[in-house]
Amino acid sequence: MRAAIRACTTGLAVAVLAVGLTACTGDGKDEPKSTGKSAKAVVKACADGTFTWTGVKKRDRLTGVSEARRVGADGTFDVQLERVYTPKPTVRAAGPAVSPAEVLFSLGKRIGEIDSDAPTLAEVDGDTYSFTDVHLAAPDLDSGLSKVTGPGELVEYVGVREWEGDFRYTCSGAETTTGHARNWTLDMAGVLSCDESVDGDGLALQAAHRSCADGSPVLEKA
């Protein structure tokens, strides 16, 4: 099977393209807001506290997949993808309020997604990072595949790489804020053949389990 994916083409049964998300988009700085006179006053954390992260892990999540379709040697694969998961930046915290954007900035530095010497997002000079945008929209289901030809029983899929972890934000002489944060970094796309095996337990195998028939070669060793 020959699979053409955006800017790269591969002759393997599984083809994947990953695009980073450190482009300069997003508002970058979100602060908690009071919603009216009756709202409880927000107690903010200090501006010079220290983040400590534990249990940080990554997971590739399937976000969209097509049905399996048999394509001949001269056929073209053109299908609609069904959404199976919608990634969304999430910050949950208990204690004095910390900017969600600052939490994601710290997580981004922790996992190597953000390369910055600034101790906080507020001290970044000019740069912005999409990873810190708590309103970052999920990628659409357009894989960007320009042309995929058979033969084979093919499945198209898209997904993201998600990161999450627990944090503690400590201020000298003040109450500690604790919480959990999650965001995604990579937008990935590929095509697999139900007639050929795939390696590992990543997106391709997740897609195969959803779309390929029981007994398909791709699932024999899964």
Side-chain angles (χ1 to χ4, degrees):
M1 179 189 72
R2 178 174 298 170
I5 296 188
R6 293 179 187 151
C8 65
T9 303
T10 175
L12 299 177
V14 180
V16 176
L17 178 68
V19 180
L21 278 182
T22 51
C24 297
T25 61
D27 55 62
K29 301 179 180 64
D30 280 355
E31 295 291 345
K33 296 181 180 179
S34 176
T35 58
K37 292 182 179 179
S38 62
K40 184 178 179 180
V42 174
V43 178
K44 293 186 178 181
C46 66
D48 58 351
T50 301
F51 280 100
T52 303
W53 289 91
T54 57
V56 176
K57 57 185 178 181
K58 64 181 177 180
R59 179 184 178 188
D60 290 346
R61 298 289 300 265
L62 188 71
T63 57
V65 64
S66 75
E67 63 181 8
R69 180 175 296 179
R70 177 67 60 180
V71 179
D74 298 324
T76 299
F77 188 60
D78 184 16
V79 293
Q80 291 291 114
L81 275 68
E82 175 187 359
R83 183 171 292 281
V84 296
Y85 175 69
T86 302
K88 182 180 180 181
T90 302
V91 177
R92 302 192 306 269
V98 180
S99 164
E102 287 288 3
V103 175
L104 294 176
F105 179 73
S106 177
L107 177 59
K109 292 178 64 175
R110 168 67 174 76
I111 65 176
E113 175 68 12
I114 294 176
D115 183 12
S116 174
D117 294 328
T120 68
L121 180 60
E123 297 174 78
V124 171
D125 185 14
D127 293 331
T128 60
Y129 307 93
S130 63
F131 190 79
T132 68
D133 182 5
V134 293
H135 304 297
L136 183 66
D140 60 33
L141 299 185
D142 180 9
S143 69
L145 300 174
S146 58
K147 186 178 182 181
V148 179
T149 58
E153 188 172 14
L154 309 182
V155 175
E156 185 178 339
Y157 61 91
V158 291
V160 297
R161 175 159 295 166
E162 228 175 33
W163 293 84
E164 62 182 316
D166 299 314
F167 69 88
R168 294 175 62 85
Y169 185 74
T170 307
C171 296
S172 178
E175 183 182 352
T176 295
T177 299
T178 60
H180 186 88
R182 180 176 68 234
N183 206 352
W184 56 277
T185 56
L186 297 181
D187 178 7
M188 299 175 281
V191 172
L192 66 92
S193 170
C194 296
D195 302 323
E196 302 177 32
S197 61
V198 297
D199 295 328
D201 58 355
L203 293 178
L205 194 53
Q206 293 178 45
H209 276 290
R210 280 186 169 269
S211 297
C212 295
D214 291 342
S216 296
V218 69
L219 299 177
E220 286 183 353
K221 297 181 179 180

